[in-house]
């Protein structure tokens, strides 16, 4: 079974703090993703990575950065947390298929971040 | 324009009722994948099913069934004889190839409440 773990289930931070969200997968997946989930908006892609040290912006990268130093670990960084970054953050990973081929994303349990 | 539309924000049923969750998608690609995920109160998105655009056969898995109709761009999900444990938020997603990467587009989710 694919296992994706996230370092914290709940986090409370103050405005302006630097926040690190960690994600680890144990299936040797090349691709890893960070999403945020907000009511009525579904999941929105923040950043993704298709290899170690590689990263690509998703749909809403502003205010975030990422780090992928090892294949199994993908970190999301909020350089200076703001209240509008209060959200549920979900990490996912997948094994890359050929273009057009199937590629299921497997998700971690999520981190609920509250920025005060 | 939204790629994936789940028009039902929230549905409430009584246990043992059948319920259908609607999903309408939009794409210009001929090759794409459709997914359903379940998000129970614990938060983790659980993969339920993946269908490719060339396979319009309906699928049944226990109490779950899926109806894929390309003519109406819909991929609906039916739960037969619903149970309290089915209570969750259900997401429909579309995967398209962007360069060599399969990008996921999620609907906004349908919250299903199954009452005893």
């Amino acid at each position: 079974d694919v296992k994706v773990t996230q370092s914290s289930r709940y986090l409370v931070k103050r405005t302006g703090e630097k926040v690190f969200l960690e994600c680890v997968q144990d299936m040797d997946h090349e691709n890893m993703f960070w999403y945020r989930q907000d009511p009525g908006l579904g999941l929105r892609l923040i950043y993704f990575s298709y290899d170690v040290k590689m990263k690509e912006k998703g749909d809403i990268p502003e205010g975030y950065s990422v780090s992928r130093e090892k294949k199994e670990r993908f970190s999301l960084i909020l350089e200076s947390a703001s209240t509008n970054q209060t959200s549920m953050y979900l990490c996912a990973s997948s094994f890359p298929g050929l273009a057009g081929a199937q590629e299921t994303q497997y998700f971690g349990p999520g981190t609920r971040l509250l920025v005060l | 324009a939204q790629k994936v539309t789940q028009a039902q924000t929230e549905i409430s049923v009584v246990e043992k009722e059948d319920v259908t969750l609607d999903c309408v998608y939009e794409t210009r690609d001929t090759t794409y994948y459709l997914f359903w995920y379940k998000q129970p109160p614990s938060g983790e998105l659980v993969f339920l099913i993946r269908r490719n655009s060339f396979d319009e056969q309906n699928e049944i898995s226990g109490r779950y069934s899926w109806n894929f109709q390309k003519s109406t761009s819909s991929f609906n999900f039916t739960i037969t004889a619903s149970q309290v444990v089915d209570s969750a938020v259900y997401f429909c997603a579309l995967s398209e190839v962007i360069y060599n990467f399969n990008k996921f587009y999620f609907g906004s989710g349908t919250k299903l409440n199954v009452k005893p």
Side-chain angles (χ1 to χ4, degrees), chain A residues 12-80:
Chain A
V12 180
K13 297 291 181 181
R14 298 214 172 270
T15 301
E17 278 192 73
K18 191 169 186 176
V19 182
F20 292 87
L21 303 183
E22 304 284 339
C23 175
V24 177
Q25 51 92 5
D26 67 357
M27 284 301 294
D28 205 33
H29 284 171
E30 274 79 2
N31 296 343
M32 295 189 75
F33 310 83
W34 275 106
Y35 293 88
R36 64 176 282 176
Q37 179 184 359
D38 300 289
L41 297 178
L43 277 70
R44 293 179 291 167
L45 182 64
I46 304 171
Y47 267 97
F48 66 96
S49 169
Y50 52 87
D51 203 351
V52 175
K53 296 192 185 294
M54 305 301 288
K55 59 185 179 184
E56 293 287 344
K57 293 180 180 179
D59 299 318
I60 52 164
E62 295 78 19
Y64 303 94
S65 62
V66 290
S67 172
R68 187 136 181 234
E69 297 296 319
K70 292 185 178 181
K71 189 176 185 180
E72 67 271 18
R73 188 179 299 269
F74 192 35
S75 303
L76 179 69
I77 304 156
L78 287 66
E79 296 289 342
S80 178

Side-chain angles (χ1 to χ4, degrees), chain A residues 9 31 33 35 37 40-43 45 48 59 88 90 98-109 112, chain B residues 31 33 35 37 39 41-45 47 50 89 91 95 97 99-109:
Chain A
R9 293 301 302 272
N31 296 343
F33 310 83
Y35 293 88
Q37 179 184 359
L41 297 178
L43 277 70
L45 182 64
F48 66 96
D59 299 318
M88 170 77 140
L90 290 159
L98 298 173
Q102 59 191 29
E103 184 186 298
T104 299
Q105 292 188 13
Y106 296 92
F107 285 83
R112 292 189 185 276
Chain B
T31 302
Y33 288 81
F35 300 77
Y37 285 85
Q39 185 180 40
S42 60
E44 180 175 346
L45 265 76
F47 164 70
R50 174 188 60 240
V89 180
F91 289 95
S95 170
V97 176
Y99 303 109
N100 287 323
F101 166 64
N102 284 12
K103 180 168 183 181
F104 274 52
Y105 300 91
F106 286 87
S108 53

